[in-house]
Amino acid sequence: MGGMMATARGSKRASIVAAAAELIRTRGVHATSIAEIIAASDSSAGTIYHHFANKNEIVLAVAVDTVSEPLQAIVRQPWGDSMSPGALLRAIAEAVFTGEVESALIVQLWAGSANDPQLKSLLSEQLTGVREEIKRRLARWLEAQGEPDASARAETLALVTMGQVMGMLAARTMLPHLDRDAYLDEAAALLDGAGRG
């Protein structure tokens, strides 16, 4: 009986997060209200506040479920012991272009955190987790390249790789006619060149 109750609670939480994600995707973080999340998830205020203390916790759950965890899972894929920064960019791009990770939702989350220091801090913590996964993968690649200070270089290269990922997400959202193959070819070559340089 307890397992069924936990499943029901988990599924209600999931429906709240899914409804909030759709509202944020289409309206943005600041234009999405708790009342709209209640209505869209077919929940009561009591149910919402049973699972989440406030709207920022809901937004954070959206970020974790739809951005952070999928990106970390991509980076953790068993593609051998090492993976170049360009190959990582291509793997993440594939997830974005197939819809596994939504660029429009990520852009809305970024925009929502721009004027909300608490939300910015929460989302930054989630991106730190993604960056740490990228750093671990790149440290192994740099070691295989013979880099004497692979750990320190991996820290910087992970930041540059994340910057390229963010740029790609923004370009995909803002430039409807983006030639993704040409973009990825150039960006991957730049990253791999920087890693070998």
Side-chain angles (χ1 to χ4, degrees):
M1 182 74 156
M4 287 177 27
M5 293 286 286
T7 301
R9 280 193 298 270
S11 109
K12 191 58 186 176
R13 182 187 184 284
S15 74
I16 293 166
V17 171
E22 182 58 29
L23 289 166
I24 291 167
R25 180 184 306 105
T26 57
R27 299 175 46 94
V29 172
H30 294 299
T32 297
S33 69
I34 291 282
E36 290 169 321
I37 296 169
I38 290 168
S41 64
D42 197 27
S43 299
S44 66
T47 300
I48 295 281
Y49 288 111
H50 172 75
H51 292 284
F52 304 98
N54 54 43
K55 184 175 134 181
N56 276 355
E57 280 193 11
I58 298 171
V59 174
L60 178 61
V62 168
V64 168
D65 291 1
T66 64
V67 179
S68 178
E69 288 180 355
L71 286 176
Q72 288 185 51
I74 291 161
V75 177
R76 286 186 196 127
Q77 290 286 326
W79 289 302
D81 284 342
S82 66
M83 189 172 199
S84 76
L88 278 170
L89 176 66
R90 287 180 185 280
I92 293 169
E94 182 63 24
V96 169
F97 291 130
T98 61
E100 187 179 340
V101 177
E102 292 185 55
S103 57
L105 183 56
I106 294 170
V107 171
Q108 289 285 22
L109 290 167
W110 288 343
S113 70
N115 295 321
D116 186 333
Q118 181 191 22
L119 183 57
K120 184 176 186 174
S121 176
L122 293 170
L123 294 176
S124 178
E125 288 173 24
Q126 290 305 307
L127 283 179
T128 297
V130 173
R131 191 186 79 241
E132 287 299 316
E133 289 296 327
I134 290 173
K135 183 175 107 175
R136 276 191 279 281
R137 180 69 72 158
L138 292 177
R140 289 193 301 263
W141 180 75
L142 287 165
E143 287 168 5
Q145 302 296 311
E147 175 63 42
D149 196 10
S151 181
R153 286 277 326 276
E155 177 73 36
T156 305
L157 194 53
L159 288 170
V160 173
T161 302
M162 285 291 293
Q164 283 296 317
V165 168
M166 292 173 167
M168 179 202 64
L169 293 172
R172 181 172 192 267
T173 302
M174 302 302 293
L175 304 170
H177 303 295
L178 175 70
D179 182 342
R180 76 180 194 185
D181 293 331
Y183 182 95
L184 285 174
D185 287 346
E186 290 296 329
L190 286 171
L191 285 172
D192 287 348
R196 290 185 178 102

